[in-house]
Amino acid sequence: MELSGEYVGCDGEPQRLRVSCEASGDADPLQSLSAGVVRMKELVAEFFGTLVEQDAQGLAEDPDDALDGSRTSAC
Amino acid sequence: MQDPVEGLDGRAGLAEGEDSQLRPQAPDAQASSQNSATEGDHGNVPRSCPQDSGRPAAPGTLATPGSQAAPGSPSPGNTVGSGAAAEEAAVIPHSEQATLVPGRNGDTASTRNRHLEFSVTVPFRTAMEAGMARRSLVANARPQQVMVQQEFTANDSILAVRWTTDDPVLFRISINTFLDQLSLVMRNIQRLEFVAVVKRGRGRSRES
């Protein structure tokens, strides 16, 4: 039993997030899944936090590209 | 063993979502969507701007994509193939119809149009639980449909959700909201089970 996420960015490359939700002993499988959701939230926050920072740094480092992007958008 | 099955379910879910998206559209809208898809297929990034700018001004420009629409004939076959499974899909349509087109062409079109995609698969114990969760989450997701496109699909006991947008910040907000709501839904399912067990216990005590 696995809770999985997959991100596909502009480059088309998939990146996966996986959380195992195995129930141990008499544990309720749904309870294990709930714990997995909490863990997935942490992974998502970490993953997209890094992604947003990278985008921000990219825009800051390449102002010319940003201008080119504006021109492209204007088209 | 489960991974390949889940992967297939995820793919089927995507197809179902696309099929559901296409059904409500009028024939003219579908034709224009196909034309846009064709343009998206053949246009490189530098060329996409002139084509986009020329689209409303020159009718002749539209004629070319129309003739190129012929290679799109396999699409109906795909639609028919996923018709039955589409019954389990729920799609929140995006306000801009043009953004629906890249999904039909898979990753390549998504990359060219700079759309980002994120999907989550949640393995419930039963199809009933997955269905309950899907119905609850679809209703909660409607207010967000303006900015982020979301597709909810339940295949047997697997719930698949897919987001499409071009802003990673919106991704994070929407996905976090979904996960919060998912936790609540699962908690409610557990409570329903608890109530059911209690009622059964009371019934047995009365019988004895």
Side-chain angles (χ1 to χ4, degrees):
Chain A
M1 194 174 189
E2 183 180 78
L3 183 64
S4 65
E6 181 179 274
Y7 169 78
V8 180
C10 298
D11 56 359
E13 292 292 333
Q15 302 180 52
R16 301 194 178 188
L17 309 174
R18 293 181 176 177
V19 176
S20 177
C21 304
E22 296 298 335
S24 58
D26 296 333
D28 183 6
L30 206 57
Q31 187 66 34
S32 301
L33 187 59
S34 296
V37 170
V38 174
R39 177 57 183 160
M40 177 60 76
K41 285 187 62 180
E42 297 172 357
L43 292 180
V44 165
E46 181 180 355
F47 179 81
F48 282 105
T50 303
L51 190 65
V52 171
E53 288 177 1
Q54 289 175 355
D55 284 352
Q57 290 176 0
L59 291 176
E61 291 175 357
D62 298 325
D64 293 337
D65 290 343
L67 291 177
D68 292 338
S70 299
R71 294 176 183 175
T72 304
S73 300
C75 295
Chain B
M1 290 296 294
Q2 294 181 353
D3 288 346
V5 173
E6 292 177 359
L8 292 175
D9 289 343
R11 294 172 187 170
L14 296 180
E16 294 164 3
E18 293 171 2
D19 181 56
S20 299
Q21 293 172 13
L22 290 175
R23 286 185 174 180
Q25 293 181 1
D28 293 339
Q30 292 177 359
S32 64
S33 298
Q34 292 176 358
N35 293 340
S36 299
T38 306
E39 292 176 359
D41 289 339
H42 294 272
N44 295 326
V45 174
R47 298 179 181 177
S48 62
C49 296
Q51 291 178 3
D52 292 339
S53 62
R55 194 183 306 173
T61 307
L62 295 178
T64 304
S67 62
Q68 294 173 350
S73 59
S75 297
N78 296 334
T79 304
V80 172
S82 62
E87 295 177 357
E88 296 297 330
V91 180
I92 309 298
H94 196 279
S95 58
E96 298 179 358
Q97 293 296 325
T99 60
L100 301 179
V101 175
R104 299 178 60 192
N105 299 299
D107 293 340
T108 304
S110 299
T111 302
R112 294 178 180 175
N113 290 274
R114 298 182 179 179
H115 282 285
L116 311 176
E117 297 180 5
F118 191 86
S119 59
V120 169
T121 56
V122 185
F124 285 91
R125 295 173 297 181
T126 63
M128 183 175 68
E129 288 181 355
M132 290 171 61
R134 184 185 71 85
R135 287 189 291 273
S136 299
L137 295 165
V138 164
N140 292 330
R142 291 189 185 282
Q144 306 177 35
Q145 66 183 357
V146 177
M147 299 180 180
V148 183
Q149 181 183 350
Q150 302 181 50
E151 301 174 14
F152 294 82
T153 306
N155 284 322
D156 196 9
S157 62
I158 304 296
L159 174 65
V161 187
R162 177 187 177 196
W163 292 263
T164 305
T165 184
D166 55 2
D167 187 342
V169 176
L170 294 179
F171 254 161
R172 182 166 56 179
I173 296 171
S174 184
I175 294 166
N176 280 336
T177 302
F178 162 79
L179 293 173
D180 286 337
Q181 292 170 351
L182 178 61
S183 295
L184 290 176
V185 167
M186 288 193 290
R187 191 179 305 173
N188 288 335
I189 291 173
Q190 288 176 315
R191 288 177 178 175
L192 289 175
E193 291 180 350
F194 177 77
V195 170
V197 169
V198 170
K199 288 184 176 180
R200 289 175 188 170
R202 289 179 180 176
R204 291 176 183 174
S205 63
R206 289 177 182 177
E207 291 176 359
S208 62

